[in-house]
Amino acid sequence: MYTELIGKLKKLGFTENEAKIYVGLLNLGEATAREIHEFTCVPRPKIYATLERMSKKNYIEVIEGTPAYFRSVNPEQLTERLRDEFLFSLNETLKELNSASYGIKNRCC
């Protein structure tokens, strides 16, 4: 199931199960946890925890009800969010590296 795309999502920080669920939801539109499990083959015991984690990361939306339905956020929104988070992290790391290198240059020993 979309092995190459799942691999690319993993390089962006998704877990294997998160990647499978995101791609699966793109195909399904809206789906219950059971339908997601059947389509993606993500182990049933891991579905709910993974969906909850993905919801907190804003990778998916939850439609409350009995049963609850899930849908992926728009790919453009997702990639924009991931890009912004990456650039922020990269800038913060650069600041820390510059501070660390300043400390090393001025260290006597």
Side-chain angles (χ1 to χ4, degrees), residues 62-104:
V62 181
I63 301 137
E64 298 295 335
T66 306
Y69 279 79
F70 304 88
R71 70 174 161 232
S72 60
V73 298
N74 180 297
E76 286 81 15
Q77 288 176 306
L78 176 73
T79 54
E80 186 175 316
R81 183 178 303 114
L82 292 172
R83 185 192 68 229
D84 291 346
E85 290 172 2
F86 178 78
L87 289 174
F88 177 80
S89 179
L90 191 62
N91 286 331
E92 291 298 307
T93 302
L94 178 60
K95 289 177 193 174
E96 289 182 37
L97 288 170
N98 284 332
S99 293
S101 69
Y102 177 76
I104 291 170

Side-chain angles (χ1 to χ4, degrees), residues 17-98:
N17 289 337
E18 288 172 345
K20 287 179 179 179
I21 289 172
Y22 185 80
V23 172
L25 282 172
L26 285 176
N27 283 274
L28 295 168
E30 293 180 359
T32 64
R34 180 180 180 196
E35 292 167 336
I36 296 166
H37 158 69
E38 290 171 354
F39 187 81
T40 63
C41 298
V42 170
R44 197 166 175 97
K46 297 192 178 216
I47 284 284
Y48 285 101
T50 306
L51 287 168
E52 184 177 332
R53 188 172 59 248
M54 292 178 73
S55 175
K56 287 180 181 176
K57 293 178 179 180
N58 294 314
Y59 293 172
I60 63 168
E61 298 171 344
V62 181
I63 301 137
E64 298 295 335
T66 306
Y69 279 79
F70 304 88
R71 70 174 161 232
S72 60
V73 298
N74 180 297
E76 286 81 15
Q77 288 176 306
L78 176 73
T79 54
E80 186 175 316
R81 183 178 303 114
L82 292 172
R83 185 192 68 229
D84 291 346
E85 290 172 2
F86 178 78
L87 289 174
F88 177 80
S89 179
L90 191 62
N91 286 331
E92 291 298 307
T93 302
L94 178 60
K95 289 177 193 174
E96 289 182 37
L97 288 170
N98 284 332

Side-chain angles (χ1 to χ4, degrees), residues 2-18:
Y2 302 98
T3 307
E4 191 173 319
L5 180 55
I6 288 168
K8 289 177 181 179
L9 288 170
K10 287 172 60 178
K11 286 182 180 180
L12 294 173
F14 281 62
T15 66
E16 177 89 16
N17 289 337
E18 288 172 345

